Amino acid sequence: SQQGEEDPQALSIQEGENATMNCSYKTSINNLQWYRQNSGRGLVHLILIRSNEREKHSGRLRVTLDTSKKSSSLLITASRAADTASYFCATGVGNAGNMLTFGGGTRLMVKP
Amino acid sequence: DAGVIQSPRHEVTEMGQEVTLRCKPISGHDYLFWYRQTMMRGLELLIYFNNNVPIDDSGMPEDRFSAKMPNASFSTLKIQPSEPRDSAVYFCASARGYNQPQHFGDGTRLSIL
């Protein structure tokens, strides 16, 4: 089974609204990363948060990590139509932190 | 900087044929990863290299799959013989160092008839 599971599987919002996606995982992690994938393209790295960090920001993106609950969230503020994509969380575990296990993704649609 | 380059972008072939997928990582990146993405199984890590040496190939599904990295700027993933269940999008990614973000190519969409 997958280490990371995103919730919801699909999300549809209006432009300008905020979008929140959640990720839960099962075992202790070294780091957690969020990626975006546009249709027909490869994944693009968004944010990496290490197990000793609780929150990171990058532009309109905010990621939180709660290791006690084994969960993370990705918040996109003031969404734009161009944010329409699938978003994946990926976890790196222990000494094999480079070996990422990806969740099933959240499909985000932002309507103009 | 050029990104990760994969070729071909699309491949359609008949079952039983040999398939070779190619990847050029970003210059200076010492980690290279091969992934497979399907609707049913999502994104799966097949194998990864560090400094051209295979480190973990536990994700390679069968002996029909093999990967090589003869030098720092080139890697191949081969399937021989190919089967319809191998149909998927195959991604190559590279990273500059341990626990660093991975940079993905745009993938090869493989269809085995």
Side-chain angles (χ1 to χ4, degrees):
Chain A
S1 63
Q2 293 171 333
Q3 160 77 317
E5 296 287 348
E6 285 92 341
D7 171 58
Q9 291 187 337
L11 180 61
S12 181
I13 59 174
Q14 293 293 137
E15 210 166 25
E17 294 179 341
N18 295 343
T20 299
M21 288 159 267
N22 302 297
C23 171
S24 60
Y25 56 91
K26 297 174 183 173
T27 62
S28 296
I29 60 170
N30 185 306
N31 66 83
L32 187 145
Q33 304 182 32
W34 285 91
Y35 289 80
R36 183 188 75 230
Q37 184 179 31
N38 290 88
S39 180
R41 303 298 300 275
L43 280 74
V44 174
H45 180 264
L46 298 176
I47 289 184
L48 182 154
I49 187 165
R50 303 193 188 279
S51 59
N52 61 352
E53 298 176 308
R54 292 296 168 258
E55 188 171 312
K56 279 189 109 168
H57 297 256
S58 176
R60 294 183 297 112
L61 306 181
R62 172 177 171 252
V63 167
T64 60
L65 179 63
D66 187 334
T67 53
S68 67
K69 294 181 179 179
K70 292 186 171 58
S71 67
S72 173
S73 67
L74 169 66
L75 169 67
I76 304 174
T77 59
S79 63
R80 305 166 182 168
D83 295 328
T84 295
S86 290
Y87 291 81
F88 295 87
C89 70
T91 52
V93 178
N95 291 332
N98 252 29
M99 290 181 63
L100 297 180
T101 302
F102 283 81
T106 292
R107 294 187 308 280
L108 173 66
M109 175 174 289
V110 181
K111 300 175 184 176
Chain B
D1 249 352
V4 173
I5 300 173
Q6 291 186 246
S7 64
R9 286 297 314 277
H10 303 273
E11 174 91 9
V12 180
T13 192
E14 294 190 346
M15 66 176 294
Q17 298 296 308
E18 178 179 292
V19 173
T20 300
L21 311 181
R22 297 173 175 79
C23 175
K24 177 179 170 55
I26 294 173
S27 177
H29 284 193
D30 54 5
Y31 284 86
L32 184 138
F33 307 82
W34 282 100
Y35 291 90
R36 179 172 68 176
Q37 186 176 39
T38 61
M39 290 294 293
M40 289 298 295
R41 299 176 65 87
L43 196 65
E44 304 172 284
L45 175 65
L46 301 178
I47 185 172
Y48 84 94
F49 295 82
N50 177 217
N51 291 325
N52 313 338
V53 176
I55 302 301
D56 193 301
D57 66 354
S58 59
M60 297 284 263
E62 299 172 34
D63 291 345
R64 298 183 296 106
F65 286 69
S66 63
K68 293 182 179 179
M69 192 165 185
N71 57 62
S73 58
F74 184 65
S75 177
T76 60
L77 178 67
K78 282 190 179 180
I79 308 173
Q80 167 64 17
S82 57
E83 297 182 5
R85 60 195 168 114
D86 302 331
S87 296
V89 182
Y90 291 81
F91 288 101
C92 175
S94 68
R96 185 194 307 274
Y98 184 75
N99 268 350
Q100 295 300 308
Q102 296 182 18
H103 299 257
F104 283 73
D106 279 336
T108 295
R109 183 172 296 275
L110 177 63
S111 296
I112 308 297
L113 306 177

